[in-house]
């Protein structure tokens, strides 16, 4: 018998979470449950009191996972298919509940047997080892795993296949040998994508009250705005991570969002959860150096963004109105941080201008979908036939923002603040140029689905934005 035939004569048991798939189904199913039934959060402690097996099974009984969309480790999966074709007996041995394990085994079609968690029996570590030893004998099987919990099974296996190991499993492999299948390591860019650093540009709106009050060189106020910017940016990144957890399934069906760190499995959900807590701690600690009113605005922002992630983003029109409101909240945060008042004109302009941007985002999503008429796009309240109404509303919002700006320029407040108010008039065509151009490019399918990313990368928008800022600055002297 050659080495390959001898190898295939020994059964291979394969762990699921972190090994066959680059994620953890307990965390995934938990966030899926909380998105659909938020009140189940209060039942989790009672389920956990009955043991981890009960917790997993209770969650699994209430949600369904898309087995086809999970981030499988393709190198390992290709090897399993090859072994199966050679007649090797392959077992899926997982601590995930039976419902999920059976669905994955059915989808892949490479497993002859499934050993999984059932009520009263959490198939992890020692219990998994005992089940495999009972079925195949001590040293009578090979085992593919990835974590500290798999070490007990490695010790009982004939041969270990260590896949994308954590630190404990990596140390075990270095001491005991076995086959090592490494996964791609996260890069600096991965963490930047997790934090959505480019979205921090939105938080520059915090400086708007200071700029419009001509306090450009007031160091104490600039310091307060900088602290508010840090607080809002870290809070926003924390909410983006939470949003990614709730949208894992939807992101994996999206042509570009599928590459996000958590959807692709490049970063683990526990790591993301820990990062979210650290970010919130930084945000809260920074807010302590600012007026109490800023803290209230920050709390309101966190509540609104969490509600948006959980529910509001799936509601027709409520989602875009919420997004426009969240942009305006950033201006209010700058006002609260510096105690500089903001005018009705500024808030009205902000609502209309950012409503137009939010509608652009939805319009691009609708343009890129291939769903037939009558079906809603995943995770949204819109259908493909809504495109024209969305475009009309977005253009109307753009013109409304320019109209509000024109009325503000003509008001007595401008004459009191600016020595040369006539220099501000070009801001109206600048606003119209930026917004209308966005809509034209959106209709041509030439715009990114995120207006912020578009503005960052579009030199024409940047040029006109700088021109507007120079005019506004010059008019004050």
């Amino acid at each position: 018998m050659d080495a390959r035939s001898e190898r295939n004569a020994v059964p291979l048991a394969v762990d699921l979470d972190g090994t066959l798939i680059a994620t953890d189904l307990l965390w995934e199913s938990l966030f899926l449950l909380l998105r659909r039934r938020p009140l189940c959060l209060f039942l989790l402690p009672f389920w956990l009191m009955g043991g981890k097996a009960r917790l997993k099974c209770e969650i699994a009984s209430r949600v369904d996972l898309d087995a086809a969309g999970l981030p499988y480790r393709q190198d390992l999966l290709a090897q399993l298919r090859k072994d199966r074709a050679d007649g090797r007996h392959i077992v899926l041995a997982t601590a995930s509940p039976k419902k999920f394990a059976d669905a994955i085994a059915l989808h892949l079609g490479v497993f002859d047997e499934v050993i999984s968690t059932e009520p009263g029996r959490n198939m992890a570590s020692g219990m998994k080892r005992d089940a495999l030893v009972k079925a195949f004998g001590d040293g009578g099987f090979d085992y593919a795993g990835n974590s500290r919990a798999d070490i007990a099974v490695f010790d009982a296996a004939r041969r270990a296949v260590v896949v994308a190991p954590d630190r404990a499993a990596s140390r075990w492999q270095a001491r005991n040998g076995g086959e090592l299948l490494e996964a791609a390591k996260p890069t600096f860019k991965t963490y930047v994508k997790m934090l959505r650093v480019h979205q921090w540009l939105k938080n520059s709106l915090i400086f708007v009250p200071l700029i419009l009050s001509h306090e450009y060189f007031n160091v104490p106020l600039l310091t307060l705005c900088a602290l508010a910017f840090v607080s809002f940016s870290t809070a926003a990144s924390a909410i983006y991570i939470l949003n990614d957890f709730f949208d894992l399934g939807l992101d994996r069906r999206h042509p570009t969002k599928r590459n996000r760190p958590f959807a692709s499995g490049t970063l683990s959900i526990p790591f993301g959860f820990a990062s979210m807590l650290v970010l919130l701690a930084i945000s809260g600690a920074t807010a302590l150096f600012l007026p109490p009113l800023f803290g209230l605005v920050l709390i309101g922002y966190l509540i609104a963004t969490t509600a948006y992630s959980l529910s509001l983003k799936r509601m027709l029109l409520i989602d875009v109105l919420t997004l426009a409101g969240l942009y305006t909240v950033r201006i209010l945060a700058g006002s609260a941080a510096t105690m500089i008042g903001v005018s009705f004109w500024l808030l009205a302009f902000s609502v209309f201008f950012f409503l137009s941007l939010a509608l652009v985002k939805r319009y691009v999503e609708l343009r890129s979908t291939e769903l037939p008429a009558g079906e809603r796009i995943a995770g949204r309240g819109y259908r493909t036939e809504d495109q024209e109404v969305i475009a009309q509303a977005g253009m109307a919002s753009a013109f409304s923002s320019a109209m509000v700006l024109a009325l503000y320029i003509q008001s007595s407040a401008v004459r009191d603040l600016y020595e040369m108010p006539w220099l501000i008039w070009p801001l109206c065509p600048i606003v119209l140029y930026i917004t209308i151009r966005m809509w034209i490019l959106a209709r041509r399918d030439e715009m990114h689905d995120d207006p912020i990313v578009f503005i960052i990368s579009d030199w024409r928008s940047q040029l006109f934005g700088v021109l507007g800022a120079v005019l506004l600055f010059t008019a004050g002297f």
Side-chain angles (χ1 to χ4, degrees), residues 93 115 122-139 141 143 149-157:
I115 298 174
N122 184 34
M123 193 56 65
S125 195
M127 187 167 287
K128 183 189 293 186
R129 175 201 61 207
D130 294 343
L132 290 171
V133 169
K134 181 179 179 180
F136 307 111
D138 194 3
F141 61 95
Y143 180 71
D150 294 313
I151 291 177
V153 193
F154 288 149
D155 289 333

Side-chain angles (χ1 to χ4, degrees), residues 316 363 366 376 381-391:
L316 179 69
Y363 180 81
L366 288 169
R376 295 196 305 175
Y382 301 90
R383 304 190 305 201
T384 53
E385 58 264 39
D386 298 332
Q387 291 182 37
E388 194 56 40
V389 175
I390 295 297

Side-chain angles (χ1 to χ4, degrees), residues 243-284:
N243 182 72
D244 284 350
F245 292 163
F246 287 124
D247 282 354
L248 287 170
L250 296 174
D251 286 349
R252 288 174 185 145
R253 296 196 292 271
H254 193 277
T256 57
K257 293 179 181 179
R258 67 199 306 175
N259 297 317
R260 286 178 174 175
F262 300 109
S264 65
T266 308
L267 294 178
S268 70
I269 295 178
F271 173 82
F273 191 76
S275 300
M276 184 179 70
L277 295 179
V278 170
L279 289 165
L280 289 174
I282 294 172
S283 177

Side-chain angles (χ1 to χ4, degrees), residues 67-214:
L70 293 172
Y72 294 98
R73 301 208 188 270
Q74 295 301 323
D75 290 346
L76 177 60
L77 186 55
Q79 184 61 52
L80 294 179
R81 286 173 173 154
K82 188 175 181 180
D83 287 351
R84 176 65 186 275
D86 289 340
R88 191 174 195 185
H89 187 83
I90 304 178
V91 180
L92 179 60
T94 175
S96 289
K98 179 176 175 57
K99 177 182 176 181
F100 296 157
D102 287 345
I104 290 169
L106 179 65
H107 168 68
L108 295 178
V110 298
F111 297 105
D112 301 286
E113 186 179 348
V114 174
I115 298 174
S116 58
T117 290
E118 298 182 29
R121 187 182 70 165
N122 184 34
M123 193 56 65
S125 195
M127 187 167 287
K128 183 189 293 186
R129 175 201 61 207
D130 294 343
L132 290 171
V133 169
K134 181 179 179 180
F136 307 111
D138 194 3
F141 61 95
D142 293 346
Y143 180 71
N146 76 298
S147 68
R148 177 186 296 274
D150 294 313
I151 291 177
V153 193
F154 288 149
D155 289 333
R158 185 201 67 151
R159 183 170 175 271
V161 181
V162 186
V163 182
D166 64 11
R167 290 182 181 179
S170 183
R171 288 194 297 266
W172 184 95
Q173 192 276 332
R175 291 193 307 266
N176 299 279
E179 184 178 353
L180 177 63
L181 295 180
E182 290 278 15
K185 300 293 185 182
T187 63
F188 177 74
K189 185 178 180 181
T190 306
Y191 300 110
V192 170
K193 288 177 68 175
M194 177 190 75
L195 296 174
R196 310 266 189 96
V197 173
H198 66 278
Q199 298 285 2
W200 292 359
L201 179 63
K202 299 174 182 177
N203 299 322
S204 59
L205 292 170
I206 287 171
F207 291 87
V208 167
L210 180 145
I211 293 170
L212 294 182
S213 64
H214 302 168

Side-chain angles (χ1 to χ4, degrees), residues 217-393:
F217 308 111
N218 189 320
V219 176
L221 290 181
L222 284 170
T223 302
L224 291 174
C225 282
L227 289 172
F229 178 87
V230 171
S231 182
F232 249 70
S233 295
T234 49
S237 289
I239 299 301
Y240 285 132
I241 292 173
L242 182 65
N243 182 72
D244 284 350
F245 292 163
F246 287 124
D247 282 354
L248 287 170
L250 296 174
D251 286 349
R252 288 174 185 145
R253 296 196 292 271
H254 193 277
T256 57
K257 293 179 181 179
R258 67 199 306 175
N259 297 317
R260 286 178 174 175
F262 300 109
S264 65
T266 308
L267 294 178
S268 70
I269 295 178
F271 173 82
F273 191 76
S275 300
M276 184 179 70
L277 295 179
V278 170
L279 289 165
L280 289 174
I282 294 172
S283 177
T286 307
L288 294 177
F289 294 94
L290 296 165
L293 182 59
F294 174 83
L296 294 177
V297 175
L298 179 63
I299 291 172
Y301 170 80
L302 289 171
I303 293 172
T305 50
T306 302
Y308 176 80
S309 296
L310 284 171
S311 178
L312 298 182
K313 67 189 299 180
R314 286 176 285 279
M315 296 183 181
L316 179 69
L317 297 180
I318 299 297
D319 61 334
V320 290
L321 291 170
T322 301
L323 287 176
L326 289 174
Y327 280 107
T328 306
V329 166
R330 291 171 168 87
I331 297 175
L332 294 174
S335 174
T338 58
M339 303 308 291
I340 296 174
V342 291
S343 68
F344 159 80
W345 298 108
L346 174 60
L347 297 180
F349 169 81
S350 173
V351 167
F352 285 116
F353 180 78
F354 291 114
L355 178 59
S356 182
L357 296 191
L359 288 165
V360 165
K361 185 177 177 68
R362 291 295 174 263
Y363 180 81
V364 172
E365 289 178 351
L366 288 169
R367 293 277 294 184
S368 62
T369 185
E370 297 180 355
L371 290 175
E375 291 190 25
R376 295 196 305 175
I377 59 176
R380 304 296 183 197
Y382 301 90
R383 304 190 305 201
T384 53
E385 58 264 39
D386 298 332
Q387 291 182 37
E388 194 56 40
V389 175
I390 295 297
Q392 291 173 6

